[in-house]
Coordinates of all heavy atoms in Angstrom, one line a residue:
E9 N -26.3 -7.9 -11.1 CA -26.5 -7.4 -9.8 C -27.9 -7.7 -9.3 O -28.2 -8.0 -8.1 CB -26.3 -5.9 -9.7 CG -24.8 -5.5 -9.9 CD -24.6 -4.0 -9.8 OE1 -25.6 -3.3 -9.5 OE2 -23.5 -3.5 -10.0
E10 N -28.9 -7.6 -10.2 CA -30.3 -7.9 -9.9 C -30.5 -9.4 -9.7 O -31.3 -9.9 -8.9 CB -31.2 -7.4 -11.0 CG -31.2 -5.9 -11.2 CD -30.0 -5.5 -12.0 OE1 -29.4 -6.3 -12.7 OE2 -29.6 -4.3 -11.9
S11 N -29.8 -10.3 -10.4 CA -29.9 -11.7 -10.3 C -28.5 -12.3 -10.1 O -27.8 -12.8 -11.0 CB -30.5 -12.3 -11.6 OG -31.8 -11.7 -11.8
P12 N -28.0 -12.4 -8.8 CA -26.7 -12.8 -8.5 C -26.4 -14.3 -8.6 O -25.2 -14.7 -8.5 CB -26.5 -12.3 -7.1 CG -27.8 -12.2 -6.5 CD -28.8 -11.9 -7.6
V13 N -27.4 -15.1 -8.8 CA -27.2 -16.5 -9.0 C -28.0 -17.0 -10.2 O -29.0 -16.4 -10.5 CB -27.6 -17.3 -7.7 CG1 -26.8 -16.9 -6.5 CG2 -29.1 -17.1 -7.4
T14 N -27.5 -18.1 -10.8 CA -28.2 -18.7 -11.9 C -29.4 -19.6 -11.3 O -29.3 -20.1 -10.2 CB -27.3 -19.6 -12.7 OG1 -26.6 -20.5 -11.9 CG2 -26.3 -18.7 -13.4
P15 N -30.5 -19.7 -12.1 CA -31.6 -20.5 -11.6 C -31.3 -22.0 -11.4 O -30.4 -22.5 -12.0 CB -32.6 -20.3 -12.8 CG -32.1 -19.2 -13.6 CD -30.7 -19.2 -13.5
E16 N -32.1 -22.5 -10.5 CA -32.1 -24.0 -10.2 C -33.3 -24.6 -10.8 O -34.4 -24.0 -10.8 CB -32.0 -24.2 -8.7 CG -30.7 -23.8 -8.1 CD -30.5 -24.2 -6.7 OE1 -31.4 -24.9 -6.2 OE2 -29.5 -23.9 -6.0
Y17 N -33.2 -25.9 -11.3 CA -34.3 -26.6 -11.9 C -34.4 -28.0 -11.2 O -33.4 -28.6 -11.0 CB -34.0 -26.8 -13.4 CG -34.1 -25.5 -14.2 CD1 -32.9 -24.8 -14.6 CD2 -35.3 -25.0 -14.6 CE1 -33.0 -23.7 -15.3 CE2 -35.4 -23.8 -15.3 CZ -34.2 -23.2 -15.7 OH -34.3 -22.0 -16.4
K18 N -35.6 -28.4 -11.0 CA -35.9 -29.7 -10.4 C -35.5 -30.8 -11.4 O -35.3 -32.0 -10.9 CB -37.3 -29.8 -10.0 CG -37.7 -28.9 -8.8 CD -39.1 -29.1 -8.4 CE -39.5 -28.2 -7.2 NZ -40.9 -28.3 -6.8
D19 N -35.5 -30.5 -12.7 CA -35.2 -31.6 -13.7 C -33.8 -31.4 -14.3 O -33.5 -31.8 -15.4 CB -36.2 -31.6 -14.8 CG -36.3 -30.3 -15.6 OD1 -36.0 -29.3 -15.0 OD2 -36.8 -30.4 -16.7
T20 N -32.9 -30.8 -13.5 CA -31.5 -30.6 -14.0 C -30.9 -32.0 -14.3 O -30.9 -32.9 -13.5 CB -30.6 -29.9 -12.9 OG1 -31.2 -28.6 -12.7 CG2 -29.2 -29.8 -13.3
I21 N -30.2 -32.0 -15.5 CA -29.5 -33.2 -15.9 C -28.0 -33.0 -16.2 O -27.3 -33.9 -16.4 CB -30.2 -33.9 -17.1 CG1 -30.3 -32.8 -18.3 CG2 -31.5 -34.5 -16.8 CD1 -30.8 -33.4 -19.6
A22 N -27.6 -31.7 -16.2 CA -26.2 -31.4 -16.5 C -25.9 -30.0 -16.0 O -26.9 -29.2 -15.8 CB -25.9 -31.5 -18.0
V23 N -24.7 -29.7 -15.9 CA -24.2 -28.3 -15.6 C -23.4 -27.8 -16.7 O -22.4 -28.4 -17.1 CB -23.4 -28.3 -14.3 CG1 -22.9 -26.9 -14.0 CG2 -24.3 -28.7 -13.1
G24 N -23.8 -26.6 -17.2 CA -22.9 -25.9 -18.2 C -22.1 -24.9 -17.5 O -22.4 -24.4 -16.4
E25 N -20.9 -24.6 -18.1 CA -20.0 -23.7 -17.3 C -19.1 -22.8 -18.2 O -18.4 -22.0 -17.7 CB -19.1 -24.6 -16.4 CG -18.4 -25.7 -17.1 CD -17.1 -25.3 -17.8 OE1 -16.3 -24.5 -17.3 OE2 -16.9 -25.7 -19.0
F26 N -19.1 -22.9 -19.5 CA -18.2 -22.2 -20.3 C -18.8 -20.8 -20.6 O -20.0 -20.6 -20.8 CB -17.9 -22.9 -21.6 CG -16.7 -22.4 -22.3 CD1 -15.4 -22.8 -21.8 CD2 -16.7 -21.6 -23.5 CE1 -14.3 -22.4 -22.5 CE2 -15.6 -21.2 -24.1 CZ -14.3 -21.6 -23.6
P27 N -17.9 -19.7 -20.7 CA -18.4 -18.4 -21.0 C -19.1 -18.3 -22.3 O -18.8 -19.1 -23.3 CB -17.1 -17.6 -21.0 CG -16.2 -18.3 -20.2 CD -16.5 -19.8 -20.4
I28 N -20.1 -17.5 -22.4 CA -20.7 -17.2 -23.7 C -19.7 -16.8 -24.7 O -18.8 -15.9 -24.4 CB -21.8 -16.0 -23.6 CG1 -22.9 -16.5 -22.7 CG2 -22.3 -15.6 -24.9 CD1 -23.8 -15.3 -22.2
D29 N -19.6 -17.5 -25.9 CA -18.5 -17.3 -26.8 C -19.1 -17.6 -28.2 O -19.2 -18.7 -28.6 CB -17.4 -18.2 -26.4 CG -16.2 -18.0 -27.4 OD1 -15.9 -16.9 -27.8 OD2 -15.5 -19.0 -27.7
S30 N -19.3 -16.5 -29.0 CA -19.9 -16.7 -30.3 C -18.9 -16.1 -31.3 O -18.4 -15.0 -31.2 CB -21.2 -16.0 -30.5 OG -21.7 -16.1 -31.8
F31 N -18.6 -16.8 -32.4 CA -17.8 -16.3 -33.4 C -18.6 -15.2 -34.2 O -19.8 -15.2 -34.2 CB -17.3 -17.4 -34.4 CG -16.0 -18.0 -34.0 CD1 -15.6 -18.1 -32.7 CD2 -15.0 -18.3 -35.0 CE1 -14.4 -18.6 -32.3 CE2 -13.8 -18.8 -34.6 CZ -13.5 -19.0 -33.3
P32 N -17.9 -14.4 -35.0 CA -18.6 -13.4 -35.8 C -19.5 -14.0 -36.7 O -19.4 -15.1 -37.2 CB -17.4 -12.6 -36.5 CG -16.2 -12.9 -35.7 CD -16.4 -14.3 -35.1
V33 N -20.6 -13.2 -37.1 CA -21.5 -13.7 -38.1 C -21.3 -13.0 -39.4 O -21.8 -13.5 -40.5 CB -23.0 -13.6 -37.6 CG1 -23.2 -14.2 -36.3 CG2 -23.4 -12.1 -37.6

């Protein structure tokens, strides 16, 4: 709610899009 958009970078080279997903440790 405080940061409703992801940051933009002037040196962007790719876009990531998959949900955070970590297997158990």
Side-chain angles (χ1 to χ4, degrees):
E9 290 184 4
E10 297 78 22
S11 302
V13 296
T14 53
E16 294 189 1
Y17 292 98
K18 293 182 179 179
D19 61 336
T20 295
I21 54 171
V23 174
E25 52 79 46
F26 199 73
I28 294 168
D29 183 36
S30 174
F31 266 40
V33 306

